[in-house]
Amino acid sequence: MIAWMLYTVIVGCCIVAAATAAEWLLRVQRRPIRFVWIIAAGLSIALAASAPLRTRLAGHSPAPQLEPASLVLVQTSLHSVERRVPPSLLPWMIVLWAVATVLVALSFLVAYRRVRRARSSWPV
């Protein structure tokens, strides 16, 4: 039951994200948007209601068990990276990551403003 509830929430969030994007695109084209949300609501209800049926029809097999050896490999890889990166570089790496994130966000903002400014001169 909990798996079905989690599935429903995840699928619903994905549908809402897709409907939001579709709504934005339709608003840009000045088309009606109410059908996007009607379809999104119907799709989320249909997928949630049909999930148990689809599971039975697919002959759901149990999930494969996680092997502990794979976790050891990940831990070994992390430890080898930690040994090779000097502790004095860690603050600089965090600052570099933060600056890169801000630069990417600013580039998106600049591109958005340019498109918005150029949109006023586009033919209808």
Side-chain angles (χ1 to χ4, degrees), residues 61-118:
S61 60
Q65 296 295 323
L66 182 65
E67 294 182 25
S70 63
L71 294 176
V72 171
L73 178 64
V74 171
Q75 287 178 337
T76 305
S77 300
L78 288 174
H79 288 304
S80 67
V81 169
E82 287 176 352
R83 277 182 282 170
R84 292 182 184 180
V85 175
S88 62
L89 283 182
L90 188 59
W92 289 105
M93 290 172 62
I94 292 172
V95 168
L96 180 65
W97 173 76
V99 168
T101 302
V102 168
L103 287 176
V104 169
L106 285 175
S107 69
F108 284 145
L109 182 65
V110 167
Y112 173 75
R113 286 189 176 175
R114 284 183 182 173
V115 169
R116 191 164 180 159
R117 193 175 304 134

Side-chain angles (χ1 to χ4, degrees), residues 26-79:
L26 289 173
R27 279 188 195 271
V28 168
Q29 295 177 352
R30 295 192 172 130
R31 303 239 174 149
I33 61 169
R34 67 179 157 262
F35 297 111
V36 171
W37 291 106
I38 292 170
I39 292 170
L43 187 61
S44 63
I45 291 170
L47 287 175
S50 66
L53 177 64
R54 285 182 284 125
T55 302
R56 270 188 247 130
L57 290 176
H60 184 67
S61 60
Q65 296 295 323
L66 182 65
E67 294 182 25
S70 63
L71 294 176
V72 171
L73 178 64
V74 171
Q75 287 178 337
T76 305
S77 300
L78 288 174
H79 288 304

